[in-house]
């Protein structure tokens, strides 16, 4: 018999079906037993009258919470059942896997007249048993929403003639700045885990691919202990050719994110608000834009926020946070493009204008930086000079070769899928990833 998902049970009322899933709740009294079965699509009550089904009693006595079961029986309507007004009356019940007592508390349990409240286990305790923690409604919704978000971005780009590529994550030279890379043993020499697909995205432009994107792992060897940093994450990167300005890149990103958030809101918006208390807002375009110096001036005037002149070439974490208050106040918007950073603070491959200003931006969402994007320097001599200026010419020699034989003007950006998920749900980065990786975390 083919399995029926819980979400489809309403279509087979009166029929004999098979359902399978985890036991979320179980009440086993002398005369009756009630099981709440949970699969990835929903929950269903299974009701057993023991006098009518004595052959099931032995199985019922073995069931524990979080055990995996198969139930076969008839679906009937019952107005007293809170879960959709339906229940399954089983004639067959099979335990696929008996669960031991669960070693973590996934959710806080409020006090009752007979029992004290039980605190939720800490984030780190729950990550120790992440496969158990992921069974909750919130976690499963989070990854359904992430799937919708990434799929919507894919579809948006495919409709604009982008190709998806897959670049190497083992590289022979330290990428970008030479800092924050993981070194690994590669047969008789050293290799490095890629900090981003940046160099290979640009190689694709020199290959005449014109428009590409990639979804893949990114590695950062940084000992950061914040709510938004991780040593391995999933990046969504794109690059495209024949642009006139970095503002073409900004336009592509704002349209991409608007399409993705619209898809998430349509499919999961109500559930996200119910389970996480966060509204999914589909932004209006164009997104607000401000020059870095003007933003610092505004933050000082309106919030009394002052930073040392030595820090004004880049955005500080506190400035990012306050920028959200500023953009909400002046534009009623959640996103903010910040431009005109100091060349010292930007990567050597960012194109610069006649005044030496990098032709790029940061995108801030809800007070957190989610993207650094730019028009790239595609002219060999200028690019080599900028690499020399930062002392990187030898380190990036293989990369510079991409630009010696013709390359169109191009630009792009990268989005951290996990950080977007974190901001979408209002969680800590540890909770917004399938499995978190940090300086002190290599398991599970």
């Amino acid at each position: 018999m083919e399995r029926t998902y819980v979400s489809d049970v309403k279509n087979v009322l009166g029929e004999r079906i098979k359902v399978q899933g985890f036991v979320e709740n179980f009440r086993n009294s002398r005369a009756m037993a009630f099981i709440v079965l949970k699969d990835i699509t929903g929950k269903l009550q299974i009701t057993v009258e023991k006098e009518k089904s004595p052959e099931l009693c032995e199985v019922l006595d073995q069931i524990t919470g979080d055990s995996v079961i198969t139930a076969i029986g008839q679906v009937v309507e019952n107005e007293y059942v809170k879960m959709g007004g339906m229940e399954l009356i089983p004639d067959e019940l099979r335990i696929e896997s008996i669960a031991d007592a669960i070693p973590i508390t996934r959710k806080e349990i409020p006090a009752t007249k007979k029992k004290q409240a039980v605190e939720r286990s800490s984030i780190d305790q729950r990550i120790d048993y992440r496969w158990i923690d992921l069974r909750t409604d919130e976690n499963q919704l989070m990854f359904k929403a992430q799937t919708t978000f990434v799929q919507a971005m894919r579809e948006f780009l495919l409709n604009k003639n982008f190709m998806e590529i897959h670049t190497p994550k083992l590289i022979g030279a330290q990428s970008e700045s030479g800092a924050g890379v993981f070194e690994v043993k590669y047969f008789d020499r050293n290799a490095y885990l890629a900090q981003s697909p940046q160099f290979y995205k640009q190689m694709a432009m020199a290959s005449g691919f014109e428009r590409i994107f990639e979804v893949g792992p990114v590695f950062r060897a940084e000992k950061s202990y914040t709510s938004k940093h991780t040593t391995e994450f999933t990046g969504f990167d794109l690059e495209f050719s024949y642009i006139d300005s970095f503002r073409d890149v900004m336009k592509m990103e704002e349209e991409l994110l608007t399409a993705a958030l619209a898809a998430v809101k349509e499919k999961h918006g109500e559930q996200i608000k119910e389970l996480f208390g966060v509204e999914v807002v589909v932004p209006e375009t164009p997104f607000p834009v401000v020059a870095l110096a003007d933003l610092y001036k505004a933050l000082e005037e309106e919030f009394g926020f002052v930073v040392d002149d030595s820090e004004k070439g880049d955005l500080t974490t506190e400035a990012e946070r306050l920028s959200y208050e500023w953009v909400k106040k002046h534009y009623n918007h959640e996103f903010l493009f910040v431009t005109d950073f100091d060349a010292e603070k930007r990567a050597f491959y960012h194109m610069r204008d006649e005044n030496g200003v990098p032709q790029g931006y940061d995108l801030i969402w809800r007070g957190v930086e989610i993207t650094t994007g730019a028009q790239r320097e595609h002219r060999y001599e200028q690019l080599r000079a900028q690499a020399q200026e930062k002392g990187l010419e030898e380190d990036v020699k293989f990369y510079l070769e991409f630009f010696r034989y013709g390359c169109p003007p191009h630009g792009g950006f990268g989005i951290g899928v996990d950080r977007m998920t974190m901001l979408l749900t209002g969680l800590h980065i540890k909770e917004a990833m399938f499995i978190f990786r940090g300086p002190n975390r290599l398991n599970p």
Side-chain angles (χ1 to χ4, degrees), residues 408-420:
H410 62 276
F413 57 87
I415 298 171
V417 172
D418 308 286
R419 187 172 289 189
M420 292 296 293

Side-chain angles (χ1 to χ4, degrees), residues 352-372:
R352 302 174 190 173
D353 68 9
E354 63 277 8
N355 299 312
V357 177
Q359 300 298 282
Y361 64 88
D362 276 1
L363 179 57
I364 314 300
W365 183 35
R366 294 178 173 173
V368 177
E369 180 259 310
I370 58 167
T371 292
T372 294

